[in-house]
Structures are given as C-alpha cells and as structure tokens.
Amino acid sequence: MSKPIRALINARLLDPATNTDVQGGVLIEKGKILDWGAHIKKGSLPDGVKVEDCNGYCLAPGLVDAHAYLCEPGKEHRETMMTAGMAAAAGGVTTINAFPATEPVIDDPAIVEMVRRRAKTTCAVNVYITGALPKGLLGEEMAEMGLLSEAGVVAVSDGQFAISNINLMRRALAYSSMFDLPVIVHAEDPALAAGGVITGGRTATFMGLKSVPTCAEAILVERDIRLVKMTGARWHAAHLSTKDALDTMRRAKNDGLNVTAGTAPHYHALNDLELGEYRTFARVSPPLREEEERLAVIEAIKDGTIDVISSQHLPQSADSKRVPFAQAKPGVIGLETMLPVSLRLYHNGDVDLLRLLYTMTIAPAKLLGLEAGAIKKGADADLFLFDTEKPWQVDGDALLSKSKNTAFDGHLLQGRVLKTFVRGKAVIEL
Amino acid sequence: MTNTDPIRFAHRHLLDIARLNATDINQILSLAEHYAEIARTPDKKRDLLRGKTQINLFFENSTRTRTSFELAGKRLGADVINMSVGSSSVKKGETLIDTAMTLNAMHPDVLVIRHGDSGAPHLLAQKVDCAVINGGDGSHEHPTQALLDALTIRRRKGRLEGLIVAICGDIQHSRVARSNIALLNIMGARVRIVGPTTLIPSNAAKMGVEVYNKMSEGLKDADIVMMLRLQTERMQGSFVPSIREYFHFFGLDKEKLSVAKPDALIMHPGPMNRGVEIDSEIADDLNISAISEQVEMGVAVRMACLDLLSRGTAA
C-alpha cells in the first residue's frame, strides 16, 4: 500500500535559504517535500491527503548542527548515537556533523564506514562525519584526507586542539584544498592555551585560576588566515569568542578569502561570571569570555562575520565535572538547547528570526556541502515545528543526552521545539 | 646531422639546461644518437679523450648516474676517477671550494659533480680550470637526465615539438623535473606537471607549464608520461599522508593511464618505487615503458656531452 500524501498546514513557514516567512504549509510524500508555500492550505488540498494542523506555529528546515561530539565509538558511557539522536530531535536538529574525537579517532576510511553504518541504524537524525586533519588528532602528521574524502567525510578538523606546527598546518591546508574539504579549526594557539582553564581577565585573577589570554584566539586566526591566503584552502573557525579574532575575520572576509566562522550558543549567551562558585559545568574550551567579548560575538552574528551557530555538543560524565575546577574536563552538551538559547538574540531584538535560523540551517549546510537546511521541493522532509514564545526552565536531568553537563541548568528560556520530522516522520513530539 | 658536420658548441661547462638553446640541444642529441649506435656494436671504445682525465665527484649516493658517466668517459678513452663523499676528505670537514682547488691542482679535464645543494656545480665552475658537468644539484637541475629523456622521446616519437608531456609526482624537490621542463619548453613541447599541492612549487605555472592536481586531467591525451621518484622521507605525513593514499591518487596504473594517448610512452628516471609512484604492470610492459631505453641513452648522451665539452670550442 502506498503511503498517502500528508499536509502540514496553518504554519508560519520560515525558510532562510529563500528568505521566506509566510503562513502556509508543506506537502509530504514518501518522506520528500512535494510542495510548499502559502498556497498549501485548507480547502485547496488534493483528495485523500492526511492533514496535520500546525496551529500557527513556526515550521522551519531542520537545524544542521555543524559541530557535535557523538562519542561513539569508544566513549559510549558519555553518549551514543541513539541518545544523541534523541537529544538532537528534541532540539530541532535533523542533521549532525559528528566530530572525529572518538576512540579510535576517525582518521581512517574504514572507521568512517563503520560510524556511518552505526548512525544509520541507531540515530534518529542524519549524521555526517568530519574526519581528523592530523592522524590520531595528535598534531604530528596529516591524516589520509583524500581517502577520507572518498569515504564520505564532509570536512576535516583538528578537533579540540589547533595544530601547533605551522609547517604541518601549511601543508595540511594545501593538501586539503585538492579535495575541496573544509578545514574546521579550533582557533586557539596551543602554547598560549596550555594549562589555561578560564579566560584571562578580572574573574580569573580573583579566582586564582590559570588563564588563557584572549589573544590566543586572534593569533591563531591571524596565522591561519595568512596560510589560507597562500594555499587557497577552505577554512572555518569552529567557534570564535573574542573581539580581536572577529575583527581579523571581518578583514579576511572583506579581502575576499574563502573563510567562515562559527560560534556556539554559550559564547553569545554567557560570560565568565558564570564560572563564579567554580562551576565546572560551564567550563568550555575556548573558555567563556568577559562581557565585552560576548557583546562582540553578538555584533558578529548580526553583521554576518559569524556564519554559523553550532551546538559544540560535547558530553562529559558527571565524574569528570565534579572535581576541582582546573581538573574538570571542558565541554557542555548543547543539542537540545542550541535553538532556545539562541532565540534570546531574537527576543532581545538583536537579529531577526530568519537571520538566526540561517546560521543554524542553510549556512552550515553550505559550509559542509550538504543537501539540507532548506525547505525545497524534492528534498527530504527534514523539518521542525517550534514555538518562539513558550517559556520553560532547563532541568539538566530532564535533557535527553546521556550526559547532563549543560551550562544552562536552571536557566529560564523562551521558545521551544514542539515536533521534529526526519524524512517526513515525526521522530519526537514534546 | 652526422658527426662530420662542423660543431659549434659554445659552452665551457654543462651546468643547466636553462642556458642552452635549441641548436645546442639538437647538436647534443644528434651526436648522442651516433654514440648510441656505437654502443650497440662489439667495439665500443674510442680514443677521442685519450690522455684526458675525468673526475666524477659525487657528494650524494648514486649508482646509475655515476656508472653511466664512468662508462661514457671510459668508452671515449679518458682516465676516469670516481670520488664519493664517503671516502673523501669532505667527511673530514673540507669545504667544497678547498676540495675543488685540490682537485684542480691535479689538472683534470672534466669534473662531473653531483651535490645535495642547488648551485654547487656553479660555485665549482668558478674555481676550476676545467669543464664542469652538473650530475645533479639539489632540487635545481640534472641536465644530462633531461637530455637522455629527450633523446629517448625523439627516438620513439620522432620529435619533441608539439608533444604533450605530463611530468608527475614530486615536482617540488625534483631536479629532473626542472631540467625536463626547461628542455621541453625550449624544444616546443607542451609540458604539464601533475602532483599533490604539497609537492608542486608555488608559482609553478610561471615555469611555463600547466599545473594539475588530478591524474585524470593531467594525463588526458598525453603523449609522454614521466613519473618521478617519491622520496620515502617525504611520505611520513608531512607532504603526503601515506604511501597508500599517494598510490591511490598519484601512482601510475593502467586505469589512470587509460586517459592518455593509446601510444603514450612511460618514463621514469629511476630508481623506481614499485607500488608507490608506479605499478609494476606498467613499469615492466616493454610496449609502453621506455625505462630501460632511458638508461641506454644515458650513456650515449653523456658521451656526447664529454665529447663536445672536450673540443674546447668555447671562447
């Protein structure tokens, strides 16, 4: 029996790729978008269509999270593809770009194949893979980027530590450009960052913690941009968090270089005061910055210097967080809170809704070369329904990730995901 | 031209291809053709260089080039001395110029030098009274290799002009590539270089070549495919990630060769890394591989060079 055509009607359709914001609906057949727009409404639907009323809520392309750690294989005590998939769905994320810091590290085509198969059978959302730029993520030798690319990785990355050997970075960028692979970097000079657990500044001084100077970020960005100029590589800064680095980025973009930048919700929503009382759950790398840097991040999201907002979802077990601050592992989970936290920018009037969604849909899809992040005829019906207004309080324990290391526990947020569709199928309803 | 034609070779040394012109090159090749014929006869010895002394000064390990020069000198009747770095005073700390002055005092007529530093033969040429032949300097030039390659091509294809020649692999560190690019450009061939971005020098296009990073594009319709040796120390993740990745993308096998002209000729300066830059199936196929012929032409070309330089027609 063939599956009937379904219609999602009476929705506020938001498609950043086409700059569309209209009342309308979407027709779905066999998991694909058959048609969409203002004309899809009650009374003008073909016969036999199964109708679902969206009650005026927002319907947007499923979010594309450009940067998340799924921990599988090798770190399943922190997260699995299954738990990450549910957390993603609860956050409106229908596509995840999984980072290679697994055990073993994703630096071999055979592992890519294995991870992809595992994702297909256990994860509720789409998973794409970023391979390791240096072998074993050790920063010493180039990984087999060509074979990784043929195996299907969509990008390569240095993971959580920038490559300190500038000659290796130069060659890696030159080499990656042959395969047109975006290189996603952790923009933080490793020598300056070594041992630092908090951003340099007033809070660090008072708390007596070893700090990372803010210039560690700008220095790495400056370095790499000069290498990009020489090699013509595609380069993406995973998470910028300082004014100086963003200024450098702005300049590079004005010069026409093929560079893009991302950030994470915690860099636009939180500052280093969050770390008072030595809250290890808000320890991230690069560290939360002082207020003026946070404001610079918002400015950069507004003016387009920052292209992508990603969750930087990095599950850590409670044991690795319930230790003295300097010993705690960096990282926060973020799949479920990426959109609600970022909606603050909309509610505060900093950016409009389409621009905000742009950074989490079509922008990351373009970066990674994916057919995703847009409502498009013939495309997979990866969509999500959300309410921009609904107030709620984050309860870390109620989040669906296996690890509960959120930086937003107890925070009051406005806006929530109601339903997420992957290839037309509702994978979660909240 | 036969060997009785008047020879006008206005060079005292053979330091690089870049300072030769098409007439020079044609002269060398034609003379070499003549010596190639002699080498195939039972009586290979001539006495053209009798009483002359040739010193092969090799600062880098070499078997085939040194042997080839030695044989060339001996077949022309010269007294040939081989000096290699392992047994010389260089190990005791002598500078290149001191070594040159010492050898010069022994009144050699030809010095063949191979050195790991680009420009070493040029320095030597300023200090000695005899002819200097560059047997390979650093990543700069290896002129007799380019000449023997040209002779091989000319014999197989009848010409150099208009041929599409793809030079593949580690261009960045290759003196063979630089000499061949220079020679083929002078002779009107169309030169392409193909290799990973990490092994192609910046501004490569300014050498008058077309640059490719894909074998499928670089080899398309090629008449000649020249493979270069990949030094193993460059494969440890610094220039290319691994041998298997290099072979997958840049190793010459039947499939990659299939886009070249059906009668494309395969060349390699040796020694080959089978399974790294070239598949055995291709290297050993005598119908398409000219690798043995290159070695044969090497002796002939070096005889021609020794002959021309010893005539002393230079001002």
Side-chain angles (χ1 to χ4, degrees):
Chain A
M1 193 183 98
S2 68
K3 285 193 177 170
I5 296 173
R6 288 164 53 214
L8 305 176
I9 58 157
N10 189 24
R12 178 179 172 193
L13 290 174
L14 292 160
D15 182 48
T18 52
N19 215 20
T20 305
D21 181 352
V22 293
Q23 286 299 123
V26 177
L27 283 185
I28 300 169
E29 186 185 31
K30 291 179 187 158
K32 306 260 187 211
I33 294 171
L34 189 63
D35 196 5
W36 69 286
H39 60 286
I40 310 291
K41 56 186 178 193
K42 217 175 196 167
S44 69
L45 297 171
D47 289 341
V49 169
K50 207 178 139 201
V51 179
E52 195 173 323
D53 194 316
C54 295
N55 300 314
Y57 289 124
C58 299
L59 188 64
L63 303 182
V64 178
D65 186 358
H67 194 156
Y69 295 85
L70 303 190
C71 301
E72 196 177 343
K75 297 172 181 177
E76 290 87 349
H77 62 291
R78 297 201 224 154
E79 188 83 285
T80 63
M81 301 237 194
M82 188 180 286
T83 52
M86 290 320 288
V93 174
T94 56
T95 299
I96 300 175
N97 178 30
F99 262 53
T102 46
E103 282 176 24
V105 166
I106 305 175
D107 63 358
D108 186 292
I111 305 169
V112 175
E113 183 55 36
M114 187 273 242
V115 170
R116 205 187 0 215
R117 214 174 301 165
R118 185 92 186 127
K120 212 165 203 168
T121 52
T122 68
C123 192
V125 303
N126 306 302
V127 174
Y128 288 92
I129 299 164
T130 286
L133 177 67
K135 261 175 214 166
L137 291 174
L138 296 174
E140 286 158 10
E141 297 172 22
M142 276 194 259
E144 293 168 315
M145 284 179 250
L147 295 176
L148 286 171
S149 173
E150 286 196 347
V153 304
V154 293
V156 287
S157 175
D158 53 13
Q160 289 149 278
F161 303 97
I163 289 176
S164 59
N165 180 337
I166 186 165
N167 246 323
L168 175 63
M169 190 61 182
R170 166 199 172 172
R171 297 207 180 102
L173 286 171
Y175 198 78
S176 70
S177 69
M178 257 193 306
F179 305 99
D180 200 29
L181 274 177
V183 174
I184 305 180
V185 302
H186 179 98
E188 195 176 43
D189 182 83
L192 284 170
V197 295
I198 185 170
T199 193
R202 184 181 173 279
T203 312
T205 305
F206 275 81
M207 289 173 78
L209 290 169
K210 185 160 187 221
S211 63
V212 183
T214 49
C215 68
E217 187 169 278
I219 286 170
L220 202 285
V221 173
E222 281 279 2
R223 178 195 86 169
D224 278 11
I225 278 173
R226 275 156 213 273
L227 295 178
V228 167
K229 215 169 187 171
M230 176 167 66
T231 59
R234 284 177 67 194
W235 183 91
H236 176 77
H239 36 52
L240 293 187
S241 59
T242 63
K243 182 175 180 302
D244 285 353
L246 289 164
D247 283 344
T248 302
M249 197 69 207
R250 206 167 272 130
R251 234 179 13 250
K253 287 186 156 192
N254 283 339
D255 289 349
L257 290 183
N258 202 353
V259 292
T260 49
T263 196
H266 38 272
Y267 298 117
H268 71 65
L270 303 176
N271 62 27
D272 64 344
L273 295 175
E274 206 66 31
L275 303 170
E277 308 298 316
Y278 297 92
R279 277 193 67 223
T280 57
F281 278 69
R283 189 186 157 199
V284 287
S285 173
L288 295 179
R289 306 293 186 181
E290 293 190 291
E291 179 64 5
E292 58 173 345
E293 312 288 355
R294 185 184 78 87
L295 296 175
V297 170
I298 294 176
E299 207 46 52
I301 295 171
K302 276 159 84 167
D303 73 8
T305 304
I306 285 177
D307 305 85
V308 172
I309 297 176
S310 62
S311 73
Q312 320 268 323
H313 181 83
L314 176 52
Q316 296 287 9
S317 68
D319 295 341
S320 63
K321 286 287 191 183
R322 295 212 174 98
V323 289
F325 194 88
Q327 292 174 32
K329 288 204 175 151
V332 293
I333 55 168
L335 283 166
E336 281 175 82
T337 50
M338 164 159 93
L339 176 80
V341 169
S342 295
L343 278 172
R344 278 187 187 173
L345 298 171
Y346 159 68
H347 292 300
N348 292 343
D350 290 318
V351 293
D352 67 41
L353 203 47
L354 275 175
R355 165 74 198 143
L356 184 65
L357 288 171
Y358 178 87
T359 64
M360 291 181 265
T361 53
I362 191 70
K366 268 192 205 157
L367 165 69
L368 303 168
L370 309 180
E371 276 292 322
I375 308 181
K376 212 163 113 185
K377 270 191 206 179
D380 282 345
D382 293 346
L383 303 162
F384 81 111
L385 192 67
F386 68 105
D387 175 0
T388 54
E389 307 304 313
K390 187 174 180 178
W392 62 294
Q393 184 172 27
V394 179
D395 172 3
D397 288 336
L399 295 174
L400 299 181
S401 261
K402 194 161 185 180
S403 295
K404 311 296 183 188
N405 54 309
T406 174
F408 295 96
D409 192 29
H411 280 239
L412 296 167
L413 301 178
Q414 191 180 356
R416 194 151 201 202
V417 173
L418 304 172
K419 205 169 187 177
T420 300
F421 303 87
V422 175
R423 283 178 293 282
K425 190 173 156 240
V427 289
I428 204 159
E429 194 161 356
L430 297 161
Chain B
M1 169 179 132
T2 71
N3 61 330
T4 53
D5 287 343
I7 301 265
R8 301 193 55 84
F9 190 72
H11 299 277
R12 191 170 165 216
H13 307 293
L14 179 61
L15 298 177
D16 39 43
I17 296 291
R19 64 189 75 191
L20 302 182
N21 60 32
T23 312
D24 295 331
I25 292 166
N26 276 326
Q27 262 187 101
I28 297 171
L29 297 185
S30 299
L31 193 53
E33 195 90 58
H34 160 69
Y35 283 119
E37 294 311 313
I38 291 176
R40 287 185 176 184
T41 64
D43 179 20
K44 302 176 175 66
K45 187 105 172 173
R46 293 292 178 271
D47 59 0
L48 199 69
L49 298 187
R50 191 167 55 185
K52 304 217 167 175
T53 307
Q54 172 190 343
I55 300 180
N56 296 335
L57 181 58
F58 276 62
F59 290 88
E60 275 189 346
N61 288 334
S62 160
T63 308
R64 71 183 62 209
T65 306
R66 193 187 50 83
T67 310
S68 184
F69 269 112
E70 183 176 352
L71 211 49
K74 284 181 170 166
R75 284 186 179 165
L76 289 175
D79 295 316
V80 184
I81 309 291
N82 290 313
M83 272 188 67
S84 56
V85 70
S87 54
S88 79
S89 50
V90 174
K91 275 242 163 124
K92 300 171 190 161
E94 191 172 66
T95 66
L96 179 62
I97 288 174
D98 284 341
T99 305
M101 296 319 289
T102 303
L103 295 176
N104 195 46
M106 299 176 192
H107 301 295
D109 300 281
V110 182
L111 257 177
V112 178
I113 175 178
R114 164 168 292 191
H115 199 282
D117 286 323
S118 303
H122 305 68
L123 178 63
L124 207 66
Q126 291 167 15
K127 299 292 174 189
V128 296
D129 301 320
C130 65
V132 174
I133 298 180
N134 180 358
D137 64 324
S139 303
H140 174 230
E141 278 224 33
H142 191 351
T144 55
Q145 177 72 43
L147 289 163
L148 75 87
D149 287 341
L151 181 57
T152 309
I153 297 171
R154 210 173 77 164
R155 284 166 65 96
R156 288 285 194 110
K157 298 287 178 195
R159 66 194 164 107
L160 291 166
E161 198 180 346
L163 294 179
I164 298 178
V165 183
I167 306 176
C168 311
D170 182 358
I171 311 292
Q172 168 91 32
H173 303 97
S174 176
R175 50 194 174 213
V176 175
R178 283 180 182 73
S179 282
N180 264 309
I181 290 168
L183 187 146
L184 292 165
N185 272 331
I186 292 168
M187 303 308 284
R190 251 179 83 189
V191 188
R192 299 174 179 170
I193 57 176
V194 192
T197 45
T198 44
L199 293 174
I200 298 236
S202 46
N203 301 309
K206 294 198 175 133
M207 292 194 290
V209 297
E210 298 162 43
V211 182
Y212 295 90
N213 298 127
K214 286 201 175 95
M215 293 286 272
S216 58
E217 293 167 7
L219 263 53
K220 193 155 178 6
D221 298 325
D223 296 285
I224 309 289
V225 180
M226 269 187 199
M227 300 308 296
L228 298 173
R229 175 181 168 76
L230 184 69
Q231 309 278 337
T232 41
E233 64 268 23
R234 314 214 199 282
M235 290 186 276
Q236 306 308 316
S238 50
F239 288 89
V240 286
S242 68
I243 293 172
R244 70 171 178 177
E245 173 145 329
Y246 187 80
F247 186 75
H248 181 76
F249 291 103
F250 297 101
L252 187 66
D253 55 18
K254 281 255 152 94
E255 196 195 324
K256 295 196 190 82
L257 185 61
S258 66
V259 298
K261 290 229 176 86
D263 61 345
L265 193 64
I266 313 305
M267 303 174 77
H268 192 300
M272 284 182 280
N273 293 304
R274 291 166 185 268
V276 177
E277 70 261 355
I278 191 162
D279 194 69
S280 286
E281 201 186 1
I282 286 190
D284 299 336
D285 185 341
L286 292 177
N287 292 319
I288 54 172
S289 161
I291 295 170
S292 299
E293 193 172 339
Q294 286 175 274
V295 177
E296 184 188 352
M297 292 308 121
V299 178
V301 152
R302 284 161 187 137
M303 287 173 83
C305 292
L306 289 168
D307 176 348
L308 287 171
L309 289 174
S310 68
R311 296 184 189 208
T313 48

